[in-house]
Amino acid sequence: MNAELTTPVLADILRTSAGEDDGFQLDDNNLDSSFDDLGYDSLALLQVTGVLQQQYGLSVSDEQFQEADTPRKLLTLANQHITVNS
Amino acid sequence: MSAIIAGLGIIAPTGNTVEEYWEATLAGTNGIDELTRFDTTDYPSSLAGEITDFDAHALIPSKLMPQTDSMTRYALYAADRAVEDSHTTLEDLDPYDVGVFTSASGGAVEFGQRELQNLWAKGKEFVSAYQSFAWFYAVNTGQISIKNKTKGPSGVILSEQSGGLDAIAWADRKISRGLHYALCGGVDSALSPWGYVPQIASGRMTTSRNPSNAYQPFGTDASGYVTGEGGAILALTSPEEDLHEGDYYGRIIGHSSTFGEGPNALEACITQALGRAHLSPAHIDVIFADAAGVAAEDRAEALAITRVFGIEGPPVTMPKTSTGRLLAGAGALDAATACLALRHQIIPPSRCDYSLHAPFVVITEPTRAELSHALIIARGFGGFNSVLIISNT
């Protein structure tokens, strides 16, 4: 069975690869906020998607990543393309 | 009319605040020791002036941590302290009226080394996206301006040690042409193998392993310099600012840069700076020497100083004997130290645990004196010379 990217794991990856504002916690309440509103710029997302590609064996085009402009969309996209086992 | 020096931000091996640094400098505390940042077992050199007790996670916003290394974190911290010390709220100023000017030597080599190792050991997918800018020479200027949302004229100067003085003079020039506020100076760190080894290869870094006298500028046994990390950021404001004496440190009244190794180009640099300040040599109350610690370079500096000032010239000091040479941070830290000397009317001492061989008086104990004008000399690797003169009124 393929591994699953969960909200807490994505939160960890965001924190370690791009940092976070004081008191911010990625959870169900802000999954539909845009990364832009959450303060993550294109370079931060490049860093995050690079980590996802390495850790989950994702093979997703840059265009697909760009369309995933909220955490929920990124979770859905990643979980559709994970190739590593849990 | 020249700019007012309204604030200082200092980060050095001997202190992370202006107060801590000044106290340690007066006490002659030694910031030089065996390097702890990485293993130097197989290296001929092993000493450095390292910054300790810097809690980056507490002092730097979380989002800036993955995109910075020690050098840039120190620079961001020093810039924040300089703004605070100048009692200015940057948000109240027009962002186009605030500029940032810093000096650099090798860029953020700690960051660059780590990512190049990722590239060659693991593959391009493992290189940080932030490598696209984080290791560049201009990164300190860039990050300071982004964090403080400044949009005015900004730049970076690459002339190693002398760059710290050049960046301050550049900011001063912009302010004399109408810019309102500038953060300027230099903060550097090359304490990673990639930053340290080239300095060994230059043949100018000492191989002495005695922290107390390895770096001995104008010493009878001078064997090279000890490197260090840190520097200073100065906050300059427009002279129209309604400040009272005591609210500011002083003004930049003279600067010059020349190029060439040896005494002639340095002598010309000192003479030109005095000319621009409309001062004669007798007006200078203290000289902050470049203090290479390399015998031939010390001789050249001694010759240039005595040619301009004679053999009974002003006293010379070199507080960098306590910190090592901070690369692009050194000139700015000396300028900040000169500001403190002018404010407190005390010449800070050189830490001379060795026998001196200099044709002028070198200050080795904190010395009270009437100080109106301080002259700072800085030389950068390869022949850069810069001189800055600061007045306390």
Side-chain angles (χ1 to χ4, degrees):
Chain A
M1 194 182 143
N2 283 344
E4 190 191 353
L5 178 66
T6 61
T7 303
V9 173
L10 179 61
D12 269 349
I13 293 174
L14 272 172
R15 186 181 310 116
T16 51
S17 51
E20 64 188 13
D21 291 330
D22 279 347
F24 173 78
Q25 176 64 46
L26 184 69
D27 55 31
D28 291 345
N29 296 318
N30 45 36
L31 283 182
D32 294 310
S33 306
S34 73
F35 281 115
D36 205 29
D37 287 343
L38 297 173
Y40 293 105
D41 60 17
S42 60
L43 209 54
L45 291 177
L46 189 63
Q47 180 68 9
V48 169
T49 54
V51 172
L52 290 176
Q53 283 172 319
Q54 292 156 31
Q55 293 187 357
Y56 291 89
L58 300 186
S59 174
V60 176
S61 70
D62 290 350
E63 289 70 25
Q64 285 173 296
F65 270 129
Q66 276 164 22
E67 281 166 24
D69 57 1
T70 68
R72 192 187 302 281
K73 286 185 196 167
L74 183 59
L75 284 167
T76 307
L77 177 71
N79 283 316
Q80 284 166 352
H81 291 88
I82 286 174
T83 60
V84 297
N85 293 328
S86 56
Chain B
M1 189 69 168
S2 53
I4 286 167
I5 304 168
L8 303 179
I10 287 177
I11 176 145
T14 46
N16 297 350
T17 65
V18 167
E19 295 74 20
E20 218 176 82
Y21 167 78
W22 181 242
E23 206 175 295
T25 303
L26 292 183
T29 306
N30 188 11
I32 293 169
D33 209 341
E34 287 285 329
L35 252 170
T36 61
R37 204 73 54 87
F38 57 92
D39 183 13
T40 56
T41 311
D42 296 330
Y43 297 166
S45 302
S46 62
L47 301 177
E50 260 181 286
I51 286 168
T52 50
D53 303 327
F54 183 81
D55 184 358
H57 287 277
L59 296 163
I60 302 297
S62 157
K63 280 190 175 156
L64 292 176
M65 290 298 286
Q67 46 179 292
T68 51
D69 74 353
S70 303
M71 177 188 86
T72 304
R73 291 170 195 161
Y74 298 154
L76 286 165
Y77 165 84
D80 283 352
R81 301 291 82 74
V83 172
E84 270 170 23
D85 193 37
S86 73
H87 304 290
T88 303
T89 308
L90 291 184
E91 289 80 36
D92 295 346
L93 302 176
D94 177 349
Y96 291 96
D97 230 351
V98 183
V100 181
F101 303 86
T102 67
S103 53
S105 63
V109 290
E110 185 182 77
F111 198 103
Q113 171 171 351
R114 186 186 68 216
E115 298 308 325
L116 287 178
Q117 282 176 319
N118 282 341
L119 174 65
W120 297 113
K122 298 181 190 166
K124 62 179 166 54
E125 300 79 10
F126 291 84
V127 175
S128 165
Y130 297 115
Q131 173 80 344
S132 56
F133 64 78
W135 65 326
F136 283 175
Y137 309 108
V139 69
N140 287 355
T141 286
Q143 289 284 27
I144 291 170
S145 63
I146 292 167
K147 178 167 183 288
N148 293 288
K149 301 184 171 65
T150 74
K151 294 179 177 175
S154 294
V156 60
I157 288 189
L158 304 175
S159 47
E160 212 240 329
Q161 280 223 113
S162 60
L165 300 187
D166 295 331
I168 295 167
W170 189 5
D172 177 54
R173 220 153 47 232
K174 286 289 180 188
I175 285 181
S176 72
R177 290 173 192 167
L179 185 69
H180 184 77
Y181 187 98
L183 291 167
C184 58
V187 177
D188 210 346
S189 174
L191 298 187
S192 71
W194 192 32
Y196 196 72
V197 170
Q199 297 185 70
I200 298 174
S202 77
R204 297 172 63 247
M205 193 154 77
T206 183
T207 54
S208 163
R209 294 191 173 241
N210 181 351
S212 75
N213 68 6
Y215 171 43
Q216 47 170 280
F218 304 108
T220 47
D221 297 317
S223 62
Y225 70 92
V226 171
T227 193
E229 60 178 350
I233 300 290
L234 282 65
L236 303 191
T237 68
S238 153
E240 281 115 54
E241 194 72 6
D242 186 22
L243 291 175
H244 302 284
E245 233 175 277
D247 289 349
Y248 61 92
Y249 293 93
R251 292 171 195 276
I252 314 294
I253 59 165
H255 169 258
S256 180
S257 296
T258 60
F259 188 80
E261 290 175 331
N264 296 352
L266 182 58
E267 180 190 355
C269 192
I270 297 170
T271 306
Q272 287 167 15
L274 285 167
R276 284 179 193 155
H278 305 291
L279 295 178
S280 72
H283 288 117
I284 298 299
D285 303 307
V286 60
I287 295 172
F288 286 74
D290 172 63
V294 176
E297 294 174 37
D298 286 346
R299 275 196 300 276
E301 185 173 27
L303 206 53
I305 289 173
T306 46
R307 279 188 197 159
V308 177
F309 295 96
I311 49 165
E312 289 187 9
V316 172
T317 193
M318 37 194 194
K320 57 166 75 78
T321 43
S322 295
T323 62
R325 287 170 72 81
L326 309 185
L327 308 172
L333 182 61
D334 269 348
T337 311
C339 287
L340 294 168
L342 292 168
R343 167 161 290 184
H344 297 286
Q345 297 286 291
I346 297 175
I347 303 175
S350 318
R351 218 187 46 77
C352 293
D353 229 357
Y354 55 89
S355 51
L356 280 159
H357 179 66
F360 36 64
V361 174
V362 174
I363 299 293
T364 58
E365 294 292 332
T367 303
R368 287 214 163 269
E370 272 186 44
L371 305 175
S372 303
H373 302 116
L375 182 141
I376 304 129
I377 299 173
R379 287 176 297 181
F381 182 63
F384 298 102
N385 306 294
S386 287
V387 170
L388 191 75
I389 301 173
I390 300 177
S391 143
N392 69 339
T393 52

